[in-house]
Amino acid sequence: MKDLLLITPPFTQLNTPYPATAYLKGFLNTKNISSFQIDLGIEVILNIFSKEELENIFNFAFENNTIITENCERIYALKDSYLETINAIISFLQGKNQTFARQICTEGFLPEASRFEQLDDLDWAFGAMGLQDKAKHLATLYLEDVSDFIVECVDANFGFSRYAERLGRSANSFDELYDFLQNDLTYIDEISIEILEKHIQNVKPKLVCFSIPFPGNLYSAFRCAQYLKATYPDLKIGMGGGFPNTELRSITDTRVFDFFDYITLDDGELPIELVANSILNPSDNDEYKRTFLLEDTKVVYKNTTSKADYKQSQVGTPDYSNLLLDQYISVIEIANPMHSLWSDGRWNKLTMAHGCYWGKCTFCDISLDYIKVYEPIAAKLLVDRMEQLIEQTNENGFHFVDEAAPPSLMKALAIEIIQRKLTVTWWTNIRFEKNFTNDLCKLLKASGCIAVSGGLEVASDRLLKLIDKGVTVEQVAQVTRNFTESNIMVHSYLMYGYPTQTVQETVDSLEMVRQLFELGVLQSGFWHQFALTAHSPVGLNPSEYGIIPDYKNITFANNDIDFKDTTGIDHSKFSFGLKKSLFNYMHGIAFELPLDEWFDFKIPQTSIPYNFIEQSLNSDLDFTIKPTAKIVWLGGMPIIEEFSKSKKGNTWEMLKMTFHNKKSTVTISVDKEKGHWFIKQLEVLMLQDKKLISFKELKSDFEQQFDDFELFWFSKPINNLKEIGLLAV
């Protein structure tokens, strides 16, 4: 028996748990409130994609005469092949039976339907990724074929990472969702409820809390809550997470509380603690934090406690226990190493900083606490938590799910990881700001950073200024180059249809993106059309951005707002061409095609010079070093040899230093006395000491014995060492 049952409803990711319940469970541990967590989505997926259930699905479709399309007829005709292979495929995608990859890659082994028609040239595509990834890609197409059959013949609401998403999107009224909930259970509902009931019997909770991150989780949460209310009328049920935090801030429809007793907003730690206390230790003056509930048949918002939210240092380490960590499924949808990070591999999720340190982008919800309240976590505490999670999960991969990780904290994190000699792999979300120098990127790579994602958005300096992004296209190009040269992959979020954006600016933005990919400084990207949200600066002040919102009567969800752009441009018509071109660029092809090849309507010629990005990359040659920059040596100690050098009757005493790194050997020779001074400094610069030496301090120490530090520091021998790990960060 546990006090709380924490649930992520179907569906989110296949490859790793959505972290909200793990964050909450870790916090509840610090308060001695017992809890159990489940990812209902992955449990439902594993049930569906099993031989037993897949056979039921085929029989259901046949008996209900729903097999209509030629594609589904083919899949049904090959049902025996699917039933013979499904369990082995799932096992392989869970990281078991890796030798099965060779069988999967054998032509004719897997049954193939429409998803295989879009198959890439696999030998070319996976030359850089290998046999295992090729097999994962083929197995992913196989599962997508089965998914298509389920959608067409069994349950139209099904999707691998969402369920009945349309019912949660822009649902200003609860009517449509409420009416749908009055229907009989869907095929997927029945599986979800059966699994949920087993957990209820096992855990016997006093409070069930659903964390709902996205619109695609909303319907399932309501359906599960409906079942619990009908079956266990005394059981209390709460809702929190990203969806209510952004969408349900002005809820008034009392029918919602036929399903849920509590809806909490923003950071969940203190609200869930107070709700739990009101159930476990009820009193006449229960306190609440940012919580909606029903009183006297009216929806009321209670924020009655005087307690402040917990600091990030107080919320504990995420706890992934109870989750089926060894049963998540890694899939690869397209042959792009960066793009696959979101779907391939099990990542421990952590946050470097709460909120966004920039907090100005005009399309973003900067008025809400999850963006507005910025609070970084000390690097030492972060790495403490990383070590705890490695011990708990036996995984050393980390995805820092920040809004935008600050460069200074990333630097501190990298140094702490290196000092502790941890072997980890990590990636995060950033702003493409100038502080990501070439040297800082090398330091991040040395600590285990493999990838970053960030928003280039509109790739137009005028619009970037209007967005208040704080970057230029030239700066983005230089920063992505710094990451790429350090072997850190880069993904960019791209936007079209921003208010006042012209057709010319959309075309020019695509040309910028084409050049970035052609020069190899971007590896992955994703286009999305601008969406007007109620809590963004554009949503709060629409007239300043040339748009006319279409406000509706809000009784349920209030975030996405329909609007008219006074330019009159139909931006949606660019969607297919932008995404098709990007798909090709991510595969390293079709750069030579004119931009108008991607669209079935006339577009203007780009106004961007063909070499704009190339020139941008050549314009930032800055050799200055800040006096406060820390000097770091990532290599080891050299093998030394003293020798004499003579020329025109003059003799110099020299020191030869041979450095071995993982890839190469570098030999330099310097003046003997300066060389011995330098070796002494290297011992301090190797990050074995907690104290870091600044450029100013290093210069001061040098000039106590010698003249002209800059001449020494920028000499050819020292510059050679900068290529293999002598950094100023």
Side-chain angles (χ1 to χ4, degrees):
M1 180 183 292
K2 301 288 184 181
D3 297 326
L4 273 69
L5 176 60
L6 307 171
I7 301 176
T8 304
F11 294 107
T12 51
Q13 292 171 271
L14 295 177
N15 63 309
T16 199
Y18 192 79
T21 61
Y23 278 46
L24 289 174
K25 183 172 174 61
F27 166 73
L28 292 170
N29 292 343
T30 70
K31 298 298 172 182
N32 294 317
I33 298 175
S34 63
S35 63
F36 193 93
Q37 64 181 327
I38 62 169
D39 179 351
L40 190 56
I42 193 62
E43 295 194 35
V44 172
I45 288 290
L46 293 175
N47 182 291
I48 292 171
F49 291 92
S50 65
K51 180 178 181 180
E52 180 182 358
E53 194 58 50
L54 188 56
E55 188 165 18
N56 293 337
I57 287 170
F58 284 133
N59 291 338
F60 177 93
F62 179 78
E63 291 167 4
N64 287 273
N65 199 30
T66 56
I67 305 170
I68 298 171
T69 66
E70 184 178 331
N71 186 54
C72 287
E73 286 178 349
R74 172 173 173 77
I75 293 172
Y76 184 78
L78 293 169
K79 69 180 189 311
D80 289 341
S81 295
Y82 285 101
L83 294 174
E84 288 169 9
T85 52
I86 186 66
N87 287 349
I89 288 292
I90 293 297
S91 179
F92 170 74
L93 293 176
Q94 290 172 331
K96 305 158 190 172
N97 191 21
Q98 295 300 288
T99 56
F100 193 45
R102 298 181 181 278
Q103 183 80 303
I104 294 171
C105 294
T106 302
E107 188 174 349
F109 175 72
L110 291 179
E112 299 180 9
S114 64
R115 295 289 181 149
F116 284 78
E117 294 171 5
Q118 56 187 312
L119 203 56
D120 299 314
D121 178 351
L122 292 184
D123 290 335
W124 174 86
F126 288 97
M129 294 179 74
L131 184 71
Q132 294 291 323
D133 285 345
K134 179 179 176 181
K136 284 181 185 177
H137 180 55
L138 292 170
T140 301
L141 297 177
Y142 164 100
L143 291 184
E144 288 176 338
D145 276 335
V146 177
S147 174
D148 290 343
F149 185 88
I150 294 170
V151 170
E152 289 188 37
C153 304
V154 178
D155 192 333
N157 292 307
F158 178 73
F160 275 122
S161 60
R162 61 191 61 86
Y163 187 78
E165 184 178 46
R166 65 178 181 80
L167 295 173
R169 281 201 175 280
S170 303
N172 301 137
S173 167
F174 187 48
D175 289 346
E176 185 180 7
L177 177 55
Y178 183 81
D179 290 344
F180 199 85
L181 288 164
Q182 307 315 306
N183 297 335
D184 292 339
L185 296 180
T186 66
Y187 192 99
I188 305 298
D189 286 341
E190 291 181 351
I191 294 173
S192 302
I193 295 301
E194 182 180 349
I195 295 172
L196 174 63
E197 173 60 25
K198 290 177 181 177
H199 283 295
I200 293 293
Q201 291 297 324
N202 177 50
V203 178
K204 296 182 171 54
K206 301 179 181 67
L207 170 64
V208 175
C209 294
F210 289 89
S211 179
I212 306 174
F214 308 115
N217 305 97
L218 185 69
Y219 165 79
S220 289
F222 269 88
R223 184 60 99 181
C224 290
Q226 181 186 48
Y227 168 78
L228 293 176
K229 280 295 180 188
T231 312
Y232 305 96
D234 295 330
L235 182 61
K236 298 298 183 182
I237 305 173
M239 174 208 297
F243 183 87
N245 291 349
T246 55
E247 306 270 354
L248 301 185
R249 304 186 75 87
S250 52
I251 186 169
T252 59
D253 196 316
T254 58
R255 293 175 297 174
V256 173
F257 293 87
D258 293 341
F259 304 82
F260 294 94
D261 299 287
Y262 311 95
I263 298 175
T264 68
L265 302 181
D266 302 327
D267 291 353
E269 289 84 5
L270 183 55
I272 201 171
E273 179 190 12
L274 295 177
V275 167
N277 285 339
S278 72
I279 295 168
L280 302 175
N281 306 294
S283 68
D284 293 334
N285 54 350
D286 288 328
E287 293 184 325
Y288 295 96
K289 186 78 168 181
R290 296 186 302 271
T291 301
F292 285 106
L293 38 78
L294 198 66
E295 282 189 352
D296 299 325
T297 69
K298 291 184 179 179
V299 179
V300 296
Y301 178 71
K302 292 208 166 184
N303 197 23
T304 54
T305 184
S306 59
K307 293 181 179 178
D309 280 302
Y310 289 99
K311 298 293 184 184
Q312 292 301 297
S313 59
Q314 300 172 309
V315 298
T317 301
D319 182 350
Y320 284 89
S321 60
N322 313 137
L323 297 173
L324 308 178
L325 297 182
D326 61 345
Q327 296 186 44
Y328 282 84
I329 302 169
S330 288
V331 296
I332 295 180
E333 297 170 20
I334 66 172
N336 180 288
M338 174 73 218
H339 207 76
S340 69
L341 290 179
W342 279 274
S343 63
D344 183 24
R346 242 280 300 134
W347 301 99
N348 294 319
K349 299 199 177 188
L350 280 173
T351 308
M352 290 191 210
H354 181 288
C356 178
Y357 71 96
W358 179 249
K360 297 179 183 179
C361 297
T362 53
F363 61 82
C364 190
D365 294 334
I366 62 175
S367 65
L368 299 184
D369 282 357
Y370 82 95
I371 299 289
K372 180 173 65 176
V373 179
Y374 174 65
E375 184 193 345
I377 303 172
K380 182 181 182 304
L381 180 57
L382 269 175
V383 182
D384 285 345
R385 290 177 176 174
M386 291 173 75
E387 290 184 320
Q388 292 173 41
L389 285 175
I390 291 171
E391 184 176 355
Q392 180 191 124
T393 66
N394 292 317
E395 297 280 358
N396 66 352
F398 291 86
H399 180 195
F400 291 96
V401 290
D402 291 64
E403 299 301 324
S408 58
L409 183 50
M410 290 174 69
K411 176 176 75 174
L413 174 71
I415 289 171
E416 187 72 23
I417 289 171
I418 294 169
Q419 286 178 330
R420 297 197 196 187
K421 294 180 167 42
L422 282 184
T423 300
V424 294
T425 302
W426 62 275
W427 56 297
T428 190
N429 195 48
I430 64 162
R431 286 181 65 246
F432 293 120
E433 63 160 85
K434 60 184 178 182
N435 287 332
F436 287 111
T437 62
N438 194 279
D439 278 7
L440 177 55
C441 292
K442 288 177 181 175
L443 178 72
L444 298 176
K445 177 62 178 179
S447 72
C449 180
I450 58 164
V452 293
S453 57
L456 170 56
E457 317 306 353
V458 287
S460 155
D461 285 344
R462 181 189 79 83
L463 292 171
L464 285 170
K465 187 174 181 180
L466 190 61
I467 287 174
D468 203 0
K469 191 71 183 177
V471 299
T472 63
V473 177
E474 180 179 278
Q475 181 180 314
V476 171
Q478 293 162 359
V479 170
T480 56
R481 184 268 316 277
N482 291 343
F483 278 111
T484 300
E485 287 184 347
S486 298
N487 291 314
I488 295 175
M489 297 183 292
V490 184
H491 173 92
S492 182
Y493 301 106
L494 304 165
M495 182 188 296
Y496 62 100
Y498 189 82
T500 74
Q501 184 169 3
T502 65
V503 170
Q504 184 68 60
E505 285 172 325
T506 301
V507 173
D508 288 349
S509 182
L510 176 57
E511 172 60 16
M512 294 284 203
V513 170
R514 187 196 68 79
Q515 291 185 28
L516 287 164
F517 273 95
E518 186 174 29
L519 289 171
V521 296
L522 267 187
Q523 289 75 51
S524 174
F526 183 80
W527 286 105
H528 65 276
Q529 188 170 349
F530 169 79
L532 178 62
T533 61
H535 312 293
S536 67
V538 181
L540 295 171
N541 305 285
S543 61
E544 295 181 15
Y545 297 88
I547 60 173
I548 303 169
D550 180 14
Y551 294 116
K552 297 180 174 64
N553 181 34
I554 308 296
T555 59
F556 186 54
N558 179 26
N559 192 34
D560 286 4
I561 302 171
D562 292 334
F563 68 96
K564 290 183 179 179
D565 190 329
T566 53
T567 64
I569 297 170
D570 177 14
H571 294 287
S572 63
K573 69 180 182 180
F574 289 93
S575 177
F576 181 78
L578 290 173
K579 292 175 180 177
K580 183 178 180 181
S581 60
L582 183 62
F583 182 84
N584 282 272
Y585 298 159
M586 284 199 298
H587 286 77
I589 57 176
F591 297 119
E592 74 285 356
L593 290 183
L595 299 186
D596 58 8
E597 289 281 340
W598 303 115
F599 303 96
D600 57 4
F601 53 91
K602 189 172 182 179
I603 61 169
Q605 292 289 315
T606 180
S607 65
I608 304 299
Y610 74 94
N611 61 347
F612 177 87
I613 297 298
E614 185 177 9
Q615 289 183 331
S616 298
L617 297 179
N618 294 328
S619 68
D620 69 325
L621 301 176
D622 184 3
F623 295 104
T624 60
I625 299 177
K626 293 180 181 178
T628 56
K630 304 302 181 185
I631 307 302
V632 171
W633 171 238
L634 297 176
M637 296 304 292
I639 300 169
I640 63 173
E641 178 186 342
E642 295 181 3
F643 69 99
S644 298
K645 177 182 178 183
S646 298
K647 188 175 183 181
K648 294 182 180 180
N650 296 316
T651 301
W652 295 272
E653 295 300 316
M654 304 293 290
L655 188 67
K656 176 181 173 183
M657 293 179 272
T658 302
F659 295 86
H660 294 275
N661 70 7
K662 294 175 182 177
K663 287 186 65 178
S664 62
T665 300
V666 174
T667 300
I668 66 170
S669 296
V670 298
D671 173 81
K672 185 175 79 170
E673 290 187 6
K674 291 177 181 176
H676 283 295
W677 172 87
F678 184 64
I679 289 173
K680 185 178 178 182
Q681 301 307 313
L682 285 183
E683 294 175 354
V684 181
L685 302 178
M686 286 174 63
L687 293 180
Q688 294 179 353
D689 197 322
K690 293 294 181 184
K691 181 171 175 13
L692 301 179
I693 305 300
S694 69
F695 183 76
K696 180 180 179 181
E697 290 170 327
L698 195 67
K699 177 181 178 181
S700 175
D701 193 280
F702 181 92
E703 292 179 344
Q704 290 178 20
Q705 306 173 51
F706 314 104
D707 295 326
D708 204 340
F709 176 70
E710 280 77 10
L711 188 63
F712 173 78
W713 187 256
F714 292 105
S715 66
K716 184 177 179 179
I718 301 303
N719 281 337
N720 286 339
L721 294 186
K722 292 173 186 174
E723 293 299 313
I724 63 167
L726 184 60
L727 311 177
V729 294

